[in-house]
Amino acid sequence: MTGITVRQLMPEDFAILREIRLEALKLHPEAYSSAYEDWVKFSDDDWRAKLSAPVFAAFHGDKTVGLIGLWPQAGIRTAHRAIVVMVYVKSEMRGNGIAQKLMQAVELYARENNISQLELSVLADNETAWRLYKREGYTEFGRRPNWISLNGEKFDEVMMFRPIAVNV
Ligand SMILES: CC(C)(COP(=O)(O)OP(=O)(O)OC[C@H]1O[C@@H](n2cnc3c(N)ncnc32)[C@H](O)[C@@H]1OP(=O)(O)O)[C@@H](O)C(=O)NCCC(=O)NCCS
């Protein structure tokens, strides 16, 4: 699809993050470990603070259509790793490679910031997301049992990683 742009959100963009993140959590409780009920309580400052880590949004014109975040790990022994989080594309925009574009944005960020391993987790029943991550070069390395509890049901989480060739 043409006309999709991806850019990093800055702290002043917190309202953009709030709108699309709350939509993702509300519409897809089965896809995330985080809960809408927790995030909806955040203050403006909480949302701004979320943007101190790299977060990228996809836009179609001026409409926000997708989201991805990255948590670079602190500390000299773990700074080569980062966790991919908050992956979401609006339902009417899916199947156009927008998630792939968002994954490429975090990959580029990793390359430019000396991060040589990306990691993520996907709830075990989320086959669409799992296929996306496989296609993007992620490999499964484990499974956490009973990772979340949703409406009385427990769901496992599959952990995946992908090496990144960093710029030297
Ligand atoms: C998972 C999710 C982010 C994927 O977003 P997306 O933008 O549709 O992803 P892509 O378009 O890159 O890929 C989706 C499908 O479209 C296909 N596709 C990609 N580009 C395409 C194109 N240009 N034309 C046609 N099909 C295309 C892909 O092959 C893929 O097919 P498959 O699922 O049958 O393998 C989205 O479904 C979503 O937000 N789901 C709800 C929340 C969620 O599960 N988040 C992940 C939490 S771990």
Side-chain angles (χ1 to χ4, degrees), residues 9-47:
L9 297 183
M10 295 295 129
E12 60 270 23
D13 295 317
F14 74 91
I16 295 175
L17 171 64
R18 177 172 56 200
E19 187 185 356
I20 192 157
R21 177 63 170 159
L22 289 180
E23 176 184 300
L25 294 176
K26 192 166 200 173
L27 296 183
H28 296 282
E30 76 296 342
Y32 301 104
S33 302
S34 300
Y36 174 84
E37 293 78 2
D38 292 326
W39 285 58
V40 76
K41 294 179 190 152
F42 288 173
S43 67
D44 289 359
D45 281 346
D46 292 332
W47 288 103

Side-chain angles (χ1 to χ4, degrees), residues 20-36 39 67 85-90 94 121-123 126 129 133 147-150 155 157:
I20 192 157
R21 177 63 170 159
L22 289 180
E23 176 184 300
L25 294 176
K26 192 166 200 173
L27 296 183
H28 296 282
E30 76 296 342
Y32 301 104
S33 302
S34 300
Y36 174 84
W39 285 58
L67 186 70
V85 292
M86 300 197 297
V87 178
Y88 178 64
V89 171
K90 273 181 178 280
R94 290 179 195 154
S121 299
V122 53
L123 291 169
N126 193 347
Y133 302 144
W147 187 245
I148 67 160
S149 173
L150 177 65
F155 294 86
E157 183 180 70

Side-chain angles (χ1 to χ4, degrees), residues 1 24 27-28 30-32 65 67 84-91 93-103 120-123 126-133 135-136:
M1 170 177 265
L27 296 183
H28 296 282
E30 76 296 342
Y32 301 104
V65 295
L67 186 70
V84 177
V85 292
M86 300 197 297
V87 178
Y88 178 64
V89 171
K90 273 181 178 280
S91 58
M93 300 299 284
R94 290 179 195 154
N96 292 302
I98 295 173
Q100 186 186 29
K101 278 199 166 82
L102 289 162
M103 303 290 294
L120 56 79
S121 299
V122 53
L123 291 169
N126 193 347
E127 280 178 33
T128 309
W130 184 88
R131 271 201 308 276
L132 165 73
Y133 302 144
R135 210 165 43 239
E136 290 301 306

